[in-house]
Amino acid sequence: MAKAVRRTVTRTGKRSAIQEEHKKFMGRKIFFIFFLLFSIILVLGISVTLGPLDITILEVYEAIFQRLFSIYLGVERLTELVIWNIRLPRIIWGIVAGFGLGVAGCVMQAVLRNPLASPFTLGISAGAGFGVSVAIIFNFAFFGGMYAIIGNAFIFALICAGLILGLSAIKGGTVEIMILAGIALNYLFSAASSMLRYFASDQQLREMGFWGGGHLGVFAWEELSIVTIALVICFILLMLKSWDLNVMTVGDDTAKSLGVDSGHVRVYVMVVSSLLVASIVCFVGTIGFIGLVAPHMCRMVIGGDNRFQIPAAGLTGAIILLGADILAMNIIPPTIIPTGTMTTILGVPFFFYLMLTRRREYW
Amino acid sequence: MVMIKLQAKDIVFAYGEASPILNNVCIEAAPSKLLSIVGPNGSGKSTLLRCIDKILKPQQGSILLDRREITKMSRMEVAKKMGYVQQSVSRGFPTTVFDTVLMGRRPHLGWRTGEEDEERVWEVLKLMDIDELALKYFNELSGGQQQKVLLARALAQEADVLLLDEPTSNLDIRRQLEVMDIIKDLVKKEGITAIVAIHDLNLASRYSDRIIMMKRGKIVGAGDPVSVLTAESIASVYGVEAVVRRQSEAPYIVPLRPIKTSSSLGIYKK
C-alpha cells in the first residue's frame, strides 16, 4: 500500500505550536469529564444532607464507606438507614436516569444528524406514557402485579422505536424519514394518551399525572440494579460505535467511503439507545428535557467528538437531573414537585443563556 | 509499490424505475496516472464515482479493484484501498479540522486512535498547508479551505485509488493549481491512481494523463487530452462553440458561445 503522504512530507520531528495547542485541547476534554465526575460526587454528598433529619456531609460519606466496606466509622444506625434506604436510592436513581437519558440523546442526535433528536422528541417517552395509560385505565398489562405499569411502559417504548425503524426501513432507512416518523409517533401517542384521560377516574388521572411528571423516589435498590446493569451494557455498546458516529456526522456517502455501513450503525444505535431509554422511563416516568439538552451543553464545551461527547453528555444529564431533583424536593417543602417538570423549568432558561452567550455555531 | 488497476465494465445504474443514469459505462484506470472524467451537468460523472466506491450498487456490470470484484470485498477493505472526496459537503455537528481529517484514519483504526494516526494527520495537514487551521471548526472555514480539508481527509486514508468529485470547484485559481499539483505529485511519486470528475476542461487538459468524456450516461470519448478535447467534441457534448489552442503539450480551450439549437430557441418561443 502506498504510504503516500508519509513519504511526501518531510518530518520535522519537532512539535509545532498548533500541535501543542491541540494536545492541550484534548487534555481539556478529559479534564471536563473528570470535572463532571467530581461534581456529581460533590452534589451527591450535598443532596443527601437535605431533608428533615439533619445529616452532615461528612456523615454522608462516612455512612457510604461504613456500609460499603463493613467498617464502623461512628455513624448512628438511624442516620445510616435514612441515608441508605431513603435518600441515597433516590439520588442514585437521578444519576443513573440522567446519565442514560443524556447518553441516549447524544447518540440519537449524532446518528440522525439532528440537534432536535432525543428520546422525547422521537416519541419513545410518549410511547411509554401511552403504555402506562393503558395499564392504569384498562388494567391491560403485559406483566402482572407491581410490574404492570413498568412492563407496559417498557414494551410501548420499544413498540414506538420499532415503528420508527420499520417505517423508515420501507423508505431506505434515511435520517429524514426516521425523524419524521418519530415526531409523528410522538404526536400520535400523546394524542392517544390524552384521549384515554376522558375514560379515567380522578384516582387514575392522578396516577397518570404522577407518572407523566417524572419521579425518582418510587423504586429502591433492586430495580435500580436492573437499570444500572442495562445502562452499563448499553453504554459500552454505544461507546464501541463512537468512532462510527463521528464519521456519520459528515453524511452517509462519506461514511460509506470511510468503511462505515451507516445504515447498519443507525439501526444498531437506535435499537440500543431505545432499549436504554425504555428501561429508564418505565421506572422514572417522562423526563423529557435531559436527552435533548445535555448533549448540546457538552458540545459547547468540548466539541462534537463522540468519544468524549457520549460520556460527557451522560454525566451532564446526571448533574442536571440531580440538581433539578434537589430543588424539586426542597423548593416548597413539604410539597415535592415532579422531577421531570422541575428539570424542564430550570433547564430551559439555563439552556437559552448558554445558547445566546456562546459565539460559535454549534449545530 | 503495489500496482493497483481499477476496471469498471459495462456499468448500468438507474434510480428505481427511471431511465439509466449510467449506460454500459466501461473505464480503466492505471497506477501513476490521473484520469479525468468530463461532461456537462447530469452526464453521470458523480454517479460513476459513487458506483466505483461501492456507495451505489449498479444494476449491471462489474467493478474490479486490483482484479478483485468490489462486491466481494467488505466496505472496510474497499475503504483501505479507495478514498473518495464528494462534491457537496453535508452539514453535520461542528467538528474541528483535525478531527475531520482524523476520520480518514477510520479504515485503519480500532476503537481508539494511536499516536501514529495522529502523526499521519499532522503530516497531511502540513502537506495541504492547513495545519494552522487544525483547531478551527470545519463549518467556520471558507469553501476553499473546506475543500482542502476534505482532500486531506482522503489523503489520511492512505488509499491507492483516489476518487475526487470536483476537487477544485470552490477554489480560487491559485488554490486550484496548488491542489491539482498536489494530486499530480502524489500520482507520479507514489503510484496512486486518481480519478477526477471535473468541470474545468483546461485543468483537465493540463493535468490529466487520460480523459473520459461523458454525455447522458454514456462515454462518448476516451484517450489523451489532445484526442478527446477537440472543438467538435466540445460542440457535440456541451453544445458550446469553442476554440482549442495548443499550449505546450496540452490543448487550451476558449469557450466562445452556446450553439443555438432549434430546441433551445423553442423555449423562448413558448
Side-chain angles (χ1 to χ4, degrees):
Chain A
M1 187 184 189
K3 302 287 176 195
V5 178
R6 201 164 207 190
R7 277 179 259 147
T8 309
V9 179
T10 314
R11 286 186 169 214
T12 59
K14 210 176 94 183
R15 287 194 163 272
S16 63
I18 189 80
Q19 279 174 285
E20 288 301 331
E21 212 178 310
H22 176 256
K23 212 175 168 188
K24 278 185 200 162
F25 181 53
M26 296 300 279
R28 264 209 308 275
K29 291 181 187 180
I30 295 165
F31 172 78
F32 181 64
I33 289 173
F34 279 103
F35 169 75
L36 291 173
L37 205 56
F38 178 75
S39 303
I40 287 178
I41 295 167
L42 192 70
V43 177
L44 179 147
I46 295 167
S47 58
V48 179
T49 63
L50 303 171
L53 181 70
D54 280 339
I55 301 171
T56 66
I57 193 159
L58 191 65
E59 280 177 316
V60 173
Y61 294 115
E62 280 175 348
I64 292 170
F65 282 104
Q66 191 165 293
R67 175 76 67 95
L68 278 179
F69 301 107
S70 301
I71 42 166
Y72 183 68
L73 294 169
V75 181
E76 284 178 31
R77 181 83 184 133
L78 175 68
T79 309
E80 191 191 319
L81 282 176
V82 168
I83 290 172
W84 273 94
N85 293 0
I86 299 171
R87 296 192 187 171
L88 212 46
R90 183 181 179 102
I91 289 158
I92 305 290
W93 263 113
I95 294 172
V96 170
F99 191 96
L101 293 172
V103 166
C106 177
V107 295
M108 284 177 176
Q109 286 174 12
V111 87
L112 298 174
R113 290 198 293 276
N114 192 301
L116 293 176
S118 82
F120 190 76
T121 49
L122 289 179
I124 296 171
S125 300
F130 177 72
V132 169
S133 304
V134 169
I136 292 172
I137 295 168
F138 297 126
N139 263 331
F140 171 81
F142 292 98
F143 302 96
M146 65 175 287
Y147 289 106
I149 288 178
I150 301 165
N152 265 28
F154 184 77
I155 299 286
F156 274 92
L158 288 186
I159 287 174
C160 182
L163 282 172
I164 295 172
L165 290 171
L167 287 167
S168 69
I170 296 169
K171 296 295 279 180
T174 62
V175 168
E176 293 77 12
I177 297 288
M178 270 194 193
I179 293 167
L180 286 173
I183 291 172
L185 286 168
N186 187 14
Y187 279 111
L188 177 70
F189 282 119
S190 301
S193 293
S194 298
M195 203 168 73
L196 288 186
R197 285 172 190 273
Y198 288 99
F199 303 100
S201 65
D202 286 350
Q203 170 62 22
Q204 286 170 331
L205 278 177
R206 264 197 299 279
E207 268 189 73
M208 285 166 67
F210 175 71
W211 193 91
H215 49 79
L216 293 175
V218 178
F219 297 98
W221 290 108
E222 198 184 328
E223 291 83 8
L224 183 57
S225 57
I226 298 169
V227 178
T228 308
I229 291 167
L231 172 67
V232 171
I233 293 170
C234 293
F235 177 67
I236 293 169
L237 290 173
L238 292 170
M239 278 304 286
L240 289 173
K241 293 289 174 194
S242 56
W243 247 113
D244 290 348
L245 289 175
N246 280 356
V247 172
M248 283 172 68
T249 57
V250 291
D252 281 4
D253 276 10
T254 305
K256 284 178 185 174
S257 78
L258 292 170
V260 175
D261 197 326
S262 44
H264 286 162
V265 174
R266 190 165 293 125
V267 172
Y268 171 102
V269 167
M270 286 301 288
V271 167
V272 175
S273 56
S274 301
L275 277 169
L276 176 60
V277 172
S279 59
I280 292 169
V281 295
C282 71
F283 287 104
V284 301
T286 307
I287 297 176
F289 184 67
I290 289 169
L292 178 73
V293 87
H296 291 308
M297 287 180 173
C298 297
R299 213 168 274 128
M300 289 176 190
V301 181
I302 59 169
D305 186 341
N306 284 290
R307 293 171 300 164
F308 300 95
Q309 167 85 352
I310 295 173
L315 292 169
T316 306
I319 291 177
I320 297 172
L321 192 50
L322 210 51
D325 192 50
I326 292 173
L327 286 170
M329 296 268 287
N330 297 288
I331 202 163
I332 327 169
T335 307
I336 298 173
I337 298 168
T339 316
T341 310
M342 185 51 89
T343 313
T344 311
I345 286 172
L346 285 175
V348 171
F350 181 57
F351 182 59
F352 280 161
Y353 166 75
L354 283 177
M355 203 168 74
L356 296 172
T357 52
R358 294 277 162 164
R359 278 169 43 217
R360 211 161 233 165
E361 207 181 314
Y362 289 93
W363 42 81
Chain B
M1 190 189 298
V2 182
M3 301 297 277
I4 291 278
K5 192 173 182 182
L6 190 126
Q7 281 180 300
K9 292 180 189 167
D10 304 319
I11 301 297
V12 175
F13 178 84
Y15 286 104
E17 300 297 312
S19 57
I21 292 171
L22 298 175
N23 214 337
N24 287 312
V25 172
C26 299
I27 67 164
E28 273 192 7
S32 303
K33 300 286 180 200
L34 195 154
L35 170 70
S36 289
I37 306 174
V38 299
N41 292 335
S43 58
K45 305 185 294 293
S46 301
T47 307
L48 178 59
L49 291 186
R50 294 170 80 203
C51 285
I52 291 172
D53 201 30
K54 214 184 165 182
I55 294 167
L56 297 175
K57 194 180 172 195
Q59 279 83 11
Q60 278 179 46
S62 61
I63 294 157
L64 302 173
L65 182 61
D66 206 15
R67 297 202 199 101
R68 280 184 72 195
E69 176 67 62
I70 64 159
T71 51
K72 296 194 174 105
M73 297 165 74
S74 72
R75 197 168 283 292
M76 210 53 100
E77 267 184 286
V78 174
K80 280 179 184 167
K81 290 176 182 289
M82 273 201 285
Y84 168 62
V85 178
Q86 69 185 103
Q87 193 176 350
S88 57
V89 183
S90 298
R91 189 183 151 84
F93 289 113
T95 319
T96 62
V97 167
F98 184 90
D99 287 342
T100 305
V101 177
L102 189 62
M103 288 175 195
R105 300 298 302 157
R106 177 67 189 93
H108 307 277
L109 290 176
W111 180 71
R112 59 192 294 273
T113 52
E115 206 171 302
E116 198 192 332
D117 297 300
E118 299 205 351
E119 280 295 324
R120 199 66 46 81
V121 171
W122 284 115
E123 287 167 359
V124 175
L125 289 173
K126 281 174 190 162
L127 174 72
M128 298 300 291
D129 200 20
I130 49 172
D131 52 327
E132 289 302 316
L133 302 175
L135 294 183
K136 286 214 176 289
Y137 280 89
F138 181 78
N139 57 343
E140 293 172 347
L141 303 181
S142 69
Q145 288 170 329
Q146 288 187 345
Q147 198 81 45
K148 278 186 146 187
V149 174
L150 296 180
L151 186 56
R153 185 174 64 201
L155 295 182
Q157 214 171 324
E158 288 189 326
D160 299 302
V161 178
L162 277 183
L163 307 172
L164 307 162
D165 196 355
E166 293 292 341
T168 56
S169 57
N170 293 318
L171 304 179
D172 60 49
I173 49 171
R174 179 192 165 93
R175 283 171 182 83
Q176 285 181 7
L177 296 175
E178 279 176 4
V179 165
M180 291 307 290
D181 279 340
I182 290 170
I183 296 167
K184 187 78 178 176
D185 215 33
L186 288 168
V187 166
K188 288 295 165 209
K189 285 184 183 163
E190 310 297 340
I192 281 178
T193 306
I195 305 178
V196 184
I198 194 162
H199 270 304
D200 189 323
L201 296 181
N202 287 317
L203 281 180
S205 162
R206 180 169 169 169
Y207 286 97
S208 308
D209 297 296
R210 286 186 73 237
I211 292 181
I212 283 174
M213 192 176 258
M214 293 183 72
K215 185 183 180 183
R216 290 187 198 134
K218 287 184 176 169
I219 291 179
V220 291
D224 60 46
V226 176
S227 63
V228 175
L229 298 175
T230 61
E232 294 74 29
S233 67
I234 292 166
S236 130
V237 171
Y238 289 91
V240 168
E241 190 183 330
V243 173
V244 179
R245 296 185 183 136
R246 290 292 293 274
Q247 284 203 333
S248 61
E249 286 304 303
Y252 181 75
I253 294 103
V254 183
L256 298 177
R257 61 191 72 84
I259 298 167
K260 289 194 173 78
T261 60
S262 54
S263 61
S264 65
L265 285 172
I267 294 169
Y268 299 107
K269 281 177 189 167
K270 281 174 189 173

